[in-house]
Amino acid sequence: MTTSGARLLLVALCVYGGQGLQQSAPRVRLSFKELLDTRAARPFSFAFNTSDYRILLMDQDQGRLYLGSREYLVALDMQNVNKEPLIIHWPASAKRKGECQMTGKGRQGECANFVRLIEPWNRTHLYTCGTGAYQPICTFINRGWRAEDYLFRLVPGYADSGKGKCSYDPNQENIAVLIDGNLYAGVHIDFMSTDAALFRTMGGRTAIRTEQYDSRWLNEPVFLKIQQIPDSAERNDNKLYFFFREKSLDSVSGASPSVLARVGRVCLNDEGGQKSLVNRWTTFLKARLICSVLGEDGVETAFDELRDVFIQPTQDEKNPVVYALFTTAG
Ligand SMILES: *[C@@H]1O[C@H](CO)[C@@H](O)[C@H](O)[C@H]1NC(C)=O
Ligand SMILES: *[C@@H]1O[C@H](CO)[C@@H](O)[C@H](O)[C@H]1NC(C)=O
């Protein structure tokens, strides 16, 4: 949402009762008024002085929706997003903001704590990370046992380093998922955002990552989606899939596409190599996703720039439906 008032629009997932939009042709544009007319949308009317809103997590247990933004975490009631939202203010310290400014970063206001990760930790707590004014930090949130507890607050005095969990630069996309106490994250690990990796941290196991500065593993990736998808009933076989786009290795030739859509995979039980690939994934694989359309003139248009991915569970958890949004690289 980029309206100047930085208003957030939440589109409730209702089935149209034949009202409002009646055209059957696909639409690429929907005005704000038309959207309201469908009665399927409820504007969220709190302003946090930012347009950096990301919906990060739906909490089915408590009927809440957690939202991360610049310096704020919000828990919304899924039935009525304007009903007494629970709000946490989580700014970077003034000292840290000052240090960040000194480095020359933050001309567009990046020297603030942008919340980029909210994941369930246990029955009562969530884990959250923010960019921390170019010094990523993480902590726990106590959300209580039940919605009626009305609890939503940071665990006082607790802070973890967010390195390898959250990018420094709020403009970099990052993806992360917590599985059995291990955090798997596709992030830029360094201050300058030159070292991108798929990283496993936390949970007492050895930290593992993709090879550093090796463009054959990852070449300036933009991470889009990460999800565990089992491929058998055997838990030891569990795999993690991650969707991204990256620069093509032979894009210099001009003939091949400059950007490639990718799906990558690692095994959750990967412990890294013994002699080679120490602390590196030994199960890392990636494949190209090809989406192309043959026009009437016989010319093929390739849509190589993967922009977003949505994974819809089905009855069979091994076979979810994957929706992907592609565009032409340009
Ligand atoms: C809103 O944020 C901008 C920086 O992004 C800041 O300069 C301004 O003072 C803030 N306004 C309020 C009302 O907090
Ligand atoms: C959840 O984790 C937090 C942080 O480690 C801990 O303080 C809390 O006791 C745990 N709650 C339960 C129910 O295990």
Side-chain angles (χ1 to χ4, degrees):
M1 299 294 131
T2 51
T3 52
S4 54
R7 193 154 43 156
L8 176 69
L9 195 67
L10 287 168
V11 182
L13 296 173
C14 311
V15 179
Y16 295 150
Q19 276 205 338
L21 301 173
Q22 305 223 319
Q23 290 116 310
S24 53
R27 302 184 44 136
V28 290
R29 191 174 294 274
L30 187 65
S31 74
F32 183 60
K33 184 176 175 306
E34 284 172 303
L35 185 61
L36 286 185
D37 288 346
T38 67
R39 295 172 195 273
R42 296 206 186 101
F44 173 59
S45 56
F46 287 77
F48 290 102
N49 191 20
T50 179
S51 57
D52 187 274
Y53 288 109
R54 306 201 179 194
I55 293 171
L56 292 164
L57 187 66
M58 194 158 91
D59 182 339
Q60 303 272 14
D61 267 9
Q62 293 206 358
R64 291 181 191 284
L65 202 58
Y66 301 117
L67 192 72
S69 131
R70 178 175 157 276
E71 314 220 304
Y72 287 95
L73 293 133
V74 191
L76 303 174
D77 186 323
M78 270 199 292
Q79 300 306 317
N80 178 358
V81 291
N82 289 304
K83 190 180 148 203
E84 302 173 49
L86 301 172
I87 298 167
I88 293 173
H89 187 209
W90 190 27
S93 68
K95 178 166 169 284
R96 181 57 218 156
K97 285 185 190 177
E99 289 163 359
C100 176
Q101 302 281 357
M102 298 281 284
T103 66
K105 296 282 186 189
R107 288 195 192 89
Q108 267 86 49
E110 294 96 331
C111 286
N113 186 32
F114 289 81
V115 178
R116 288 293 180 262
L117 183 157
I118 306 175
E119 280 286 295
W121 174 256
N122 60 20
R123 280 301 309 277
T124 51
H125 285 65
L126 308 166
Y127 194 66
T128 184
C129 300
T131 59
Y134 274 85
Q135 192 174 81
I137 46 167
C138 301
T139 189
F140 290 102
I141 297 169
N142 189 349
R143 52 134 226 184
W145 286 96
R146 301 164 309 146
E148 304 82 70
D149 293 346
Y150 248 69
L151 195 60
F152 188 60
R153 60 162 183 253
L154 298 179
V155 169
Y158 189 89
D160 274 344
S161 162
K163 204 170 161 68
K165 303 172 188 172
C166 173
S167 293
Y168 285 66
D169 180 348
N171 302 311
Q172 295 284 356
E173 297 291 334
N174 58 201
I175 52 174
V177 61
L178 254 171
I179 303 169
D180 298 331
N182 293 117
L183 188 81
Y184 299 81
V187 291
H188 287 80
I189 293 181
D190 59 333
F191 182 83
M192 297 303 289
S193 296
T194 54
D195 182 15
L198 184 76
F199 221 77
R200 181 178 76 203
T201 52
M202 302 175 70
R205 298 165 78 188
T206 43
I208 292 199
R209 55 164 296 165
T210 44
E211 190 60 76
Q212 192 171 28
Y213 305 128
D214 185 334
S215 52
R216 289 169 305 175
W217 289 57
L218 296 169
N219 193 19
E220 297 179 30
V222 176
F223 296 108
L224 299 168
K225 183 82 190 172
I226 190 163
Q227 188 163 311
Q228 177 182 347
I229 303 174
D231 65 4
S232 75
E234 177 56 53
R235 269 175 64 91
N236 266 331
D237 281 347
N238 279 350
K239 311 264 191 313
L240 186 68
Y241 288 81
F242 53 102
F243 294 84
F244 60 107
R245 60 175 191 266
E246 66 175 345
K247 231 169 100 180
S248 163
L249 267 184
D250 43 24
S251 63
V252 271
S253 71
S256 46
S258 54
V259 175
L260 297 176
R262 294 283 196 188
V263 54
R265 193 181 84 174
V266 292
C267 292
L268 291 188
N269 69 1
D270 195 333
E271 294 300 336
Q274 296 281 330
K275 294 223 166 59
S276 62
L277 293 178
V278 176
N279 297 337
R280 303 289 183 266
W281 300 103
T282 59
T283 55
F284 178 89
L285 288 175
K286 67 178 180 183
R288 185 177 166 195
L289 295 171
I290 298 175
C291 171
S292 71
V293 173
L294 197 60
E296 281 168 15
D297 51 3
V299 177
E300 195 169 14
T301 307
F303 295 83
D304 289 308
E305 190 161 322
L306 184 61
R307 299 304 284 270
D308 205 358
V309 170
F310 177 76
I311 301 176
Q312 166 101 53
T314 64
Q315 295 281 355
D316 177 6
E317 60 170 357
K318 299 191 288 295
N319 284 302
V321 179
V322 177
Y323 293 90
L325 185 67
F326 297 86
T327 179
T328 47

